[in-house]
Amino acid sequence: MDAQGPDKALPFLRRANCEFTTVVDEENLLGQLYGVKAIPNGYLIDEAGVVRYKKLSGFDIRRAETASIVESWARATAIDESLLETEAAPGAEHSEANAHFRAGLNLYRDGNVEEAVAQWRRGVDLEPDNYIIRKQIWAVQNPDRFYSGDVDFAWQKKQMAQGL
Amino acid sequence: MTVSAAPVVKVGDEAPDFELRALDGRQVRLSHYRGKKTVLFMWASW
């Protein structure tokens, strides 16, 4: 999910040597459709297209918990009910924040980077925990912290500590 | 700018269908995977 497009994802995928299909979501379609504000998220969907399990944030195959859920899901049909999470529906500010995200995206594509960032900033003001939007600002303003080798998560923690 | 309550996809809901482009250029729809168990994993390079 990167407003700057598929080129940004490719180097990471080559390093990971992925076998599964990867699609690029430049416009945060899934953020809007599924109501998510951060990643990594995992949805397990059955043969009829019904969601049987979801985890928002922290869905990481390197974690034993995630790996065992995905494995048992692949092998059987039942998901342990105790693993299911409940959450409140996102409010109207989620739609409004995403409207600013889309406005910023159009400006960015027209080359108006400062105005794009201003729109994204308004989205983040509305939804401070929307890291999908917040990280677009960080990545555009600090490409060296994202796209020159490894992502600098220590730097991101400092940003968060300062509320930036 | 229209403002309305956003959906949150819950367990038991049908996963909303979408179409996005894969890195090799082909269009992929979630509904292509009907009939199979699917893991939808959202991630980012950031």
Side-chain angles (χ1 to χ4, degrees), chain A residues 1 12-13 22-24 30 33-34 40-43 45 47-49 51 54 59 73-74 76 90 95 135 146 151 156, chain B residues 3-4 6-9 12-16 18 21-23 26 30 33-35 37-43 45-46:
Chain A
M1 303 171 96
F12 292 90
L13 274 166
T22 296
V23 293
V24 181
L30 296 190
L33 211 50
Y34 283 72
N41 310 312
Y43 290 80
I45 301 165
E47 293 88 337
V51 176
K54 78 180 212 195
F59 185 84
W73 160 248
S95 290
K135 290 200 186 191
F146 288 83
V151 175
Q156 289 189 20
Chain B
V3 170
S4 59
V8 65
V9 175
D13 289 348
E14 200 173 299
F18 55 87
R21 180 167 303 212
L23 293 176
R26 78 201 144 91
L30 179 65
Y33 295 86
R34 287 282 172 101
K37 288 176 181 169
T38 307
V39 179
L40 174 61
F41 176 46
M42 302 174 187
W43 65 279
S45 52
W46 40 257

Side-chain angles (χ1 to χ4, degrees), chain A residues 89-99 126-127, chain B residues 2-6:
Chain A
E93 73 281 355
H94 186 62
S95 290
E96 203 176 329
N98 275 306
L126 279 161
E127 265 198 329
Chain B
T2 57
V3 170
S4 59

